Amino acid sequence: MPENRPIPYEDVAESCPVVVTTGRYAGLDALRGFIIVLMALDHACYFVAKAHSHEFWGAELPHYTAALDFLTRWVTHFCAPGFFFLMGVGVVTFAASRERSGWSTRRIFRFLLIRGALLILLQFLVENPSWEFGDLSAAAGATISRGGEFPGGGTMPTLYFGVLYALGGALILCSFLIRLPNVALVIASVAALLFTQWLVVGSDAGELYSPWLRAVVIPGHTNSQLVFYPVLPWFGIAGFGMLFGRGMLSNERRAYVTGVLVGLACLILFLIDRSAVGIGDFHRVAAGWIGFLNVTKYPPSSAFVLMTLGLDLVLLGLFAFAAHRLPRFTEPLIVFGRSALFFYLLHLYLYALMGFAFPQGTTLPTMYLTWLAGLLILYPLCFWYGRFKQGKPIESIWRFF
């Protein structure tokens, strides 16, 4: 492994800037690469198998008759919380590196605002057309996600608010709050999650809420608007990432150890909550182990956050350990993690194109093989782009992808 020498690196993987070092922060890249590979599995299931589930408040949770069907969806739950958490880490480490390089506070703030706005534009101009393109591959009668499955209603949705939109919005919020003291940041993050749950629990699932309320806090369908990721609850997870980033700047090893302990505590609280308490979820716990693990994602319930963020923190500690001691194991994940926005935009069109070979959908084993084939195609492209990007100036437009 090269010497652990700080290298300014824009983490577009997470859709936000981050300082990546050749060895020092490799654990962050490895986790990011791991979760984006799992995310590709979810999208391959949508485009290729023509099967997909949504865990919305105000609507019945999906039912599963086979363990593989459920686990194929469940393992992808850890992606979105991981992306937002790592984005929060990136905001802090980016600001610290630029301050050392002589950037003013105003310049850092402006850069983060532009990056957040760019992500929102990419949502509507680049990502959204990929879903429409993929839907063209489904023959009549093929099972594929449609707007009628979501809370709300009205006309057919045409404007999709997905993860890039929420990442951009959360990044903009983080840029305004980057100077908050730790206690205030904890309060803001927890309040964002709890306020969302308080507001949504008392809401009418059939109501056509205003576009602003949908975009900020209540996911669902209002006429042409379909919101999966409102900004406020997902910002709460990014705020926890900012706290972790501050800990890394203070003492990296201690931050990883603390993260693992906090992650284990979150998992224990999840087990307690699902077994006895049942606080902060939008659905009752169903019977069986699938019902126990089947939680509400849109918006993220307390159980969802405890389960997913807990495991992400444990995995981050493991990947940080492996990146230093087993670099060959983490190297492929790091390649994906350091070019994740490039991966994200490219993989949507790749799997959408593959879906045309299966107009009626396919079995999960075939879908898994297609997913792996897609990763083999994407790996050399991401490897090339990572090298290409690192050769460009820090403020080059190529760094954003």
Side-chain angles (χ1 to χ4, degrees):
M1 288 287 287
E3 190 175 328
N4 291 348
R5 178 172 54 87
I7 299 174
Y9 184 108
E10 309 304 331
D11 179 16
V12 292
E14 223 348 83
S15 68
C16 93
V18 69
V19 177
V20 176
T21 60
T22 309
R24 181 180 173 188
Y25 292 159
L28 299 176
D29 285 324
L31 176 61
R32 188 178 301 108
F34 178 72
I35 59 180
I36 204 167
V37 163
L38 289 180
M39 177 207 61
L41 173 64
D42 194 46
H43 296 157
C45 196
Y46 179 91
F47 289 122
V48 177
K50 305 293 189 291
H52 199 265
S53 303
H54 300 116
E55 302 78 13
F56 262 88
W57 75 280
E60 189 176 0
L61 286 176
H63 293 282
Y64 299 91
T65 57
L68 182 61
D69 291 341
F70 172 73
L71 292 175
T72 298
R73 173 61 176 171
W74 182 79
V75 296
T76 67
H77 282 340
F78 305 92
C79 301
F83 286 141
F84 283 89
F85 179 83
L86 290 172
M87 188 190 73
V89 177
V91 168
V92 171
T93 54
F94 171 82
S97 72
R98 290 302 178 265
E99 286 177 350
R100 291 193 296 268
S101 300
W103 281 31
S104 66
T105 300
R106 177 178 294 182
R107 187 179 180 186
I108 294 170
F109 175 71
R110 183 173 63 249
F111 188 91
L112 295 175
L113 285 181
I114 294 173
R115 172 85 30 97
L118 177 62
L119 289 169
I120 294 174
L121 286 176
L122 288 173
Q123 172 73 66
F124 298 115
L125 300 181
V126 180
E127 179 183 346
N128 283 2
S130 71
W131 300 109
E132 297 175 8
F133 175 62
D135 283 355
L136 295 175
S137 70
T143 302
I144 201 165
S145 300
R146 295 295 179 193
E149 302 172 6
F150 314 115
T155 60
M156 186 68 181
T158 57
L159 197 59
Y160 167 65
F161 289 67
V163 70
L164 288 185
Y165 156 76
L167 282 166
L171 178 54
I172 292 172
L173 279 178
C174 289
S175 68
F176 280 98
L177 304 178
I178 196 169
R179 300 300 177 188
L180 278 183
N182 287 345
V183 173
L185 188 55
V186 169
I187 293 173
S189 300
V190 173
L193 290 166
L194 294 183
F195 174 76
T196 299
Q197 295 191 15
W198 171 80
L199 182 64
V200 173
V201 165
S203 299
D204 177 7
E207 185 172 340
L208 303 185
Y209 292 98
S210 72
W212 285 109
L213 200 56
R214 287 285 190 210
V216 175
V217 66
I218 301 181
H221 173 202
T222 296
N223 292 321
S224 63
Q225 184 187 33
L226 177 58
V227 180
F228 274 65
Y229 293 89
V231 172
L232 190 63
W234 295 98
F235 154 74
I237 297 176
F240 296 143
M242 292 175 68
L243 290 165
F244 186 87
R246 291 175 180 179
M248 287 191 68
L249 294 177
S250 175
N251 187 314
E252 182 189 352
R253 184 179 182 278
R254 183 173 62 194
Y256 285 129
V257 172
T258 302
V260 170
L261 294 176
V262 171
L264 292 173
C266 287
L267 293 175
I268 292 171
L269 288 175
F270 166 76
L271 295 175
I272 295 173
D273 177 66
R274 298 294 280 177
S275 299
V277 184
I279 295 175
D281 207 343
F282 305 100
H283 299 89
R284 292 189 177 185
V285 181
W289 67 272
I290 290 180
F292 188 85
L293 295 176
N294 198 15
V295 294
T296 313
K297 180 179 180 181
Y298 309 106
S301 64
S302 296
F304 179 88
V305 173
L306 290 171
M307 178 183 71
T308 57
L309 195 56
L311 187 56
D312 280 330
L313 286 168
V314 173
L315 287 174
L316 179 57
L318 294 176
F319 280 126
F321 175 86
H324 287 282
R325 292 167 176 79
L326 301 169
R328 291 184 181 275
F329 172 75
T330 57
E331 182 179 351
L333 297 177
I334 290 173
V335 168
F336 286 136
R338 289 184 176 175
S339 56
L341 182 57
F342 176 79
F343 177 107
Y344 183 80
L345 296 174
L346 192 60
H347 95 285
L348 290 172
Y349 286 91
L350 175 62
Y351 287 111
L353 183 62
M354 287 179 166
F356 281 88
F358 308 96
Q360 297 289 348
T362 187
T363 62
L364 284 183
T366 301
M367 183 277 296
Y368 270 92
L369 291 175
T370 308
W371 167 62
L372 292 174
L375 295 180
L376 291 175
I377 295 171
L378 289 165
Y379 182 81
L381 297 175
C382 290
F383 183 86
W384 165 80
Y385 188 77
R387 291 291 183 89
F388 170 79
K389 183 174 61 173
Q390 289 184 31
K392 297 298 179 182
I394 289 174
E395 295 189 21
S396 169
I397 186 64
W398 295 107
R399 291 276 188 167
F400 286 90
F401 298 94

Coordinates of all heavy atoms in Angstrom, one line a residue, residues 339-378:
S339 N -15.5 6.2 -7.4 CA -16.1 6.7 -8.6 C -17.6 6.4 -8.6 O -18.3 6.0 -9.6 CB -15.5 6.1 -9.9 OG -15.6 4.7 -9.8
A340 N -18.2 6.6 -7.4 CA -19.6 6.0 -7.1 C -20.7 6.8 -7.9 O -21.7 6.2 -8.3 CB -19.9 6.0 -5.7
L341 N -20.5 8.1 -8.0 CA -21.5 8.9 -8.8 C -21.5 8.5 -10.2 O -22.5 8.3 -10.9 CB -21.4 10.4 -8.6 CG -22.4 11.2 -9.3 CD1 -23.8 10.9 -8.8 CD2 -22.1 12.7 -9.1
F342 N -20.3 8.3 -10.8 CA -20.1 7.8 -12.1 C -20.8 6.4 -12.3 O -21.5 6.2 -13.2 CB -18.6 7.8 -12.4 CG -18.3 7.2 -13.8 CD1 -18.4 7.9 -14.9 CD2 -17.8 5.9 -13.9 CE1 -18.0 7.4 -16.2 CE2 -17.5 5.3 -15.1 CZ -17.6 6.1 -16.2
F343 N -20.5 5.6 -11.3 CA -21.1 4.2 -11.3 C -22.6 4.3 -11.2 O -23.3 3.6 -12.0 CB -20.6 3.5 -10.0 CG -21.2 2.1 -9.8 CD1 -20.4 1.0 -10.1 CD2 -22.5 1.9 -9.4 CE1 -20.9 -0.3 -9.9 CE2 -23.0 0.7 -9.2 CZ -22.2 -0.5 -9.4
Y344 N -23.1 5.2 -10.4 CA -24.5 5.3 -10.2 C -25.3 5.6 -11.5 O -26.2 5.0 -11.9 CB -24.8 6.3 -9.1 CG -26.3 6.4 -8.8 CD1 -26.9 5.5 -7.9 CD2 -27.1 7.4 -9.3 CE1 -28.3 5.6 -7.6 CE2 -28.5 7.5 -9.0 CZ -29.0 6.6 -8.2 OH -30.4 6.7 -7.9
L345 N -24.8 6.7 -12.1 CA -25.5 7.1 -13.3 C -25.4 6.1 -14.4 O -26.3 5.9 -15.2 CB -24.9 8.5 -13.7 CG -25.2 9.7 -12.7 CD1 -24.5 10.9 -13.2 CD2 -26.7 9.9 -12.6
L346 N -24.2 5.5 -14.5 CA -23.9 4.6 -15.6 C -24.7 3.3 -15.4 O -25.3 2.7 -16.4 CB -22.4 4.3 -15.7 CG -21.9 3.5 -17.0 CD1 -22.3 4.3 -18.2 CD2 -20.4 3.3 -16.9
H347 N -24.7 2.8 -14.2 CA -25.4 1.5 -14.0 C -26.9 1.5 -14.2 O -27.4 0.5 -14.6 CB -25.1 1.0 -12.5 CG -26.1 1.2 -11.6 ND1 -26.3 2.5 -11.0 CD2 -27.1 0.4 -11.0 CE1 -27.4 2.5 -10.2 NE2 -27.8 1.2 -10.1
L348 N -27.5 2.6 -14.0 CA -28.9 2.7 -14.3 C -29.3 2.4 -15.7 O -30.1 1.6 -16.1 CB -29.5 4.0 -13.9 CG -29.5 4.3 -12.4 CD1 -29.9 5.8 -12.1 CD2 -30.5 3.4 -11.7
Y349 N -28.5 3.0 -16.6 CA -28.7 2.8 -18.0 C -28.3 1.4 -18.5 O -28.9 0.8 -19.4 CB -28.0 3.9 -18.9 CG -28.8 5.2 -18.7 CD1 -28.4 6.2 -17.8 CD2 -29.8 5.6 -19.6 CE1 -29.1 7.4 -17.6 CE2 -30.5 6.8 -19.5 CZ -30.1 7.7 -18.5 OH -30.8 8.9 -18.4
L350 N -27.2 0.9 -17.9 CA -26.7 -0.4 -18.3 C -27.7 -1.5 -17.9 O -28.1 -2.3 -18.8 CB -25.4 -0.7 -17.5 CG -24.8 -2.1 -17.7 CD1 -24.5 -2.3 -19.2 CD2 -23.6 -2.3 -16.8
Y351 N -28.3 -1.5 -16.7 CA -29.2 -2.5 -16.3 C -30.6 -2.3 -17.0 O -31.3 -3.2 -17.3 CB -29.4 -2.6 -14.8 CG -28.2 -3.2 -14.1 CD1 -27.4 -2.5 -13.3 CD2 -28.0 -4.6 -14.3 CE1 -26.3 -3.0 -12.7 CE2 -26.9 -5.1 -13.7 CZ -26.0 -4.4 -12.9 OH -24.9 -5.0 -12.3
A352 N -30.9 -1.0 -17.3 CA -32.1 -0.8 -18.1 C -32.0 -1.3 -19.5 O -33.0 -1.9 -20.0 CB -32.4 0.7 -18.1
L353 N -30.8 -1.2 -20.1 CA -30.6 -1.8 -21.4 C -30.6 -3.3 -21.3 O -31.2 -4.0 -22.2 CB -29.2 -1.3 -21.9 CG -28.9 -1.8 -23.3 CD1 -29.9 -1.2 -24.3 CD2 -27.4 -1.3 -23.7
M354 N -30.0 -3.9 -20.3 CA -30.1 -5.4 -20.1 C -31.5 -5.9 -20.0 O -31.8 -7.0 -20.4 CB -29.3 -5.8 -18.9 CG -27.8 -5.6 -19.1 SD -26.9 -6.1 -17.5 CE -25.2 -6.3 -18.1
G355 N -32.4 -5.0 -19.4 CA -33.7 -5.4 -19.2 C -34.5 -5.7 -20.5 O -35.5 -6.5 -20.5
F356 N -34.0 -5.2 -21.6 CA -34.7 -5.4 -22.9 C -34.6 -6.9 -23.3 O -35.3 -7.4 -24.1 CB -34.2 -4.5 -24.0 CG -34.8 -3.1 -23.9 CD1 -34.2 -2.2 -23.1 CD2 -35.9 -2.8 -24.6 CE1 -34.7 -0.9 -23.0 CE2 -36.4 -1.5 -24.5 CZ -35.8 -0.6 -23.7
A357 N -33.6 -7.6 -22.8 CA -33.4 -9.0 -23.1 C -34.4 -9.9 -22.3 O -34.6 -11.1 -22.6 CB -32.0 -9.5 -22.7
F358 N -35.1 -9.3 -21.3 CA -36.1 -10.0 -20.5 C -37.4 -9.3 -20.4 O -37.7 -8.8 -19.3 CB -35.5 -10.3 -19.1 CG -34.1 -10.9 -19.1 CD1 -33.0 -10.1 -19.0 CD2 -33.9 -12.3 -19.2 CE1 -31.7 -10.7 -19.0 CE2 -32.7 -12.8 -19.3 CZ -31.6 -12.0 -19.1
P359 N -38.1 -9.1 -21.5 CA -39.3 -8.3 -21.4 C -40.4 -8.8 -20.5 O -41.2 -8.0 -20.0 CB -39.8 -8.3 -22.9 CG -39.2 -9.6 -23.5 CD -37.9 -9.7 -22.8
Q360 N -40.4 -10.1 -20.2 CA -41.4 -10.7 -19.2 C -40.8 -10.8 -17.8 O -41.4 -11.4 -16.9 CB -41.8 -12.1 -19.7 CG -42.6 -12.0 -21.0 CD -44.0 -11.4 -20.9 OE1 -44.5 -11.2 -19.8 NE2 -44.6 -11.1 -22.0
G361 N -39.6 -10.3 -17.6 CA -38.9 -10.5 -16.3 C -38.2 -11.8 -16.3 O -38.2 -12.6 -17.3
T362 N -37.6 -12.1 -15.2 CA -36.8 -13.4 -15.1 C -36.8 -13.9 -13.7 O -37.2 -13.2 -12.8 CB -35.4 -13.2 -15.7 OG1 -34.8 -14.5 -15.8 CG2 -34.6 -12.3 -14.8
T363 N -36.2 -15.1 -13.5 CA -36.1 -15.6 -12.1 C -35.0 -14.9 -11.4 O -34.1 -14.2 -12.0 CB -35.8 -17.1 -12.2 OG1 -34.5 -17.3 -12.9 CG2 -36.8 -17.9 -12.9
L364 N -35.0 -15.0 -10.1 CA -33.9 -14.3 -9.3 C -32.5 -14.9 -9.6 O -31.6 -14.1 -9.7 CB -34.2 -14.4 -7.8 CG -35.3 -13.5 -7.3 CD1 -35.5 -13.6 -5.8 CD2 -35.0 -12.0 -7.6
P365 N -32.3 -16.2 -9.8 CA -31.0 -16.7 -10.1 C -30.5 -16.1 -11.4 O -29.3 -15.7 -11.5 CB -31.2 -18.2 -10.2 CG -32.3 -18.5 -9.3 CD -33.2 -17.3 -9.4
T366 N -31.3 -15.9 -12.4 CA -30.9 -15.3 -13.7 C -30.6 -13.8 -13.5 O -29.6 -13.3 -14.0 CB -31.9 -15.5 -14.8 OG1 -32.2 -16.9 -15.0 CG2 -31.5 -14.8 -16.1
M367 N -31.4 -13.2 -12.7 CA -31.2 -11.8 -12.4 C -29.8 -11.6 -11.6 O -29.1 -10.6 -11.9 CB -32.3 -11.2 -11.5 CG -32.2 -9.7 -11.2 SD -31.1 -9.3 -9.8 CE -32.0 -10.1 -8.4
Y368 N -29.5 -12.5 -10.7 CA -28.2 -12.4 -10.0 C -27.1 -12.5 -11.0 O -26.1 -11.8 -10.9 CB -28.1 -13.5 -8.9 CG -28.7 -13.0 -7.6 CD1 -30.0 -13.3 -7.2 CD2 -27.8 -12.4 -6.7 CE1 -30.5 -12.9 -6.0 CE2 -28.3 -12.0 -5.4 CZ -29.7 -12.2 -5.1 OH -30.1 -11.8 -3.9
L369 N -27.2 -13.4 -11.9 CA -26.1 -13.6 -12.9 C -26.0 -12.3 -13.8 O -24.9 -11.9 -14.1 CB -26.4 -14.8 -13.8 CG -26.3 -16.1 -13.2 CD1 -26.7 -17.2 -14.1 CD2 -24.8 -16.4 -12.7
T370 N -27.1 -11.7 -14.1 CA -27.1 -10.5 -14.9 C -26.5 -9.3 -14.1 O -25.7 -8.5 -14.6 CB -28.5 -10.1 -15.3 OG1 -29.1 -11.2 -16.0 CG2 -28.5 -8.9 -16.3
W371 N -26.8 -9.3 -12.8 CA -26.2 -8.3 -11.9 C -24.7 -8.4 -11.9 O -24.0 -7.4 -12.0 CB -26.8 -8.5 -10.5 CG -26.1 -7.8 -9.4 CD1 -26.0 -6.4 -9.3 CD2 -25.5 -8.4 -8.3 NE1 -25.3 -6.1 -8.1 CE2 -25.0 -7.3 -7.5 CE3 -25.3 -9.7 -7.8 CZ2 -24.3 -7.5 -6.2 CZ3 -24.7 -9.9 -6.6 CH2 -24.2 -8.9 -5.9
L372 N -24.2 -9.6 -11.7 CA -22.7 -9.8 -11.7 C -22.1 -9.5 -13.0 O -21.0 -8.9 -13.0 CB -22.4 -11.3 -11.3 CG -22.8 -11.7 -9.9 CD1 -22.6 -13.2 -9.7 CD2 -22.0 -11.0 -8.9
A373 N -22.8 -9.8 -14.1 CA -22.2 -9.4 -15.4 C -22.1 -7.9 -15.6 O -21.2 -7.4 -16.1 CB -23.1 -10.0 -16.5
G374 N -23.1 -7.2 -15.0 CA -23.1 -5.8 -15.1 C -21.9 -5.2 -14.3 O -21.2 -4.2 -14.7
L375 N -21.6 -5.8 -13.1 CA -20.5 -5.4 -12.3 C -19.2 -5.6 -13.0 O -18.3 -4.7 -12.9 CB -20.5 -6.1 -11.0 CG -21.7 -5.8 -10.0 CD1 -21.5 -6.6 -8.7 CD2 -21.8 -4.3 -9.7
L376 N -19.1 -6.7 -13.7 CA -17.8 -7.0 -14.5 C -17.7 -5.9 -15.6 O -16.5 -5.6 -15.9 CB -17.9 -8.4 -15.1 CG -17.8 -9.5 -14.1 CD1 -18.0 -10.9 -14.8 CD2 -16.5 -9.5 -13.3
I377 N -18.7 -5.5 -16.2 CA -18.6 -4.4 -17.2 C -18.3 -3.1 -16.6 O -17.5 -2.3 -17.1 CB -20.0 -4.3 -18.0 CG1 -20.2 -5.6 -18.8 CG2 -20.0 -3.1 -18.9 CD1 -21.6 -5.7 -19.4
L378 N -18.9 -2.8 -15.4 CA -18.7 -1.5 -14.8 C -17.3 -1.3 -14.2 O -16.7 -0.2 -14.1 CB -19.7 -1.3 -13.7 CG -21.2 -1.0 -14.2 CD1 -22.2 -1.2 -13.1 CD2 -21.3 0.3 -14.9

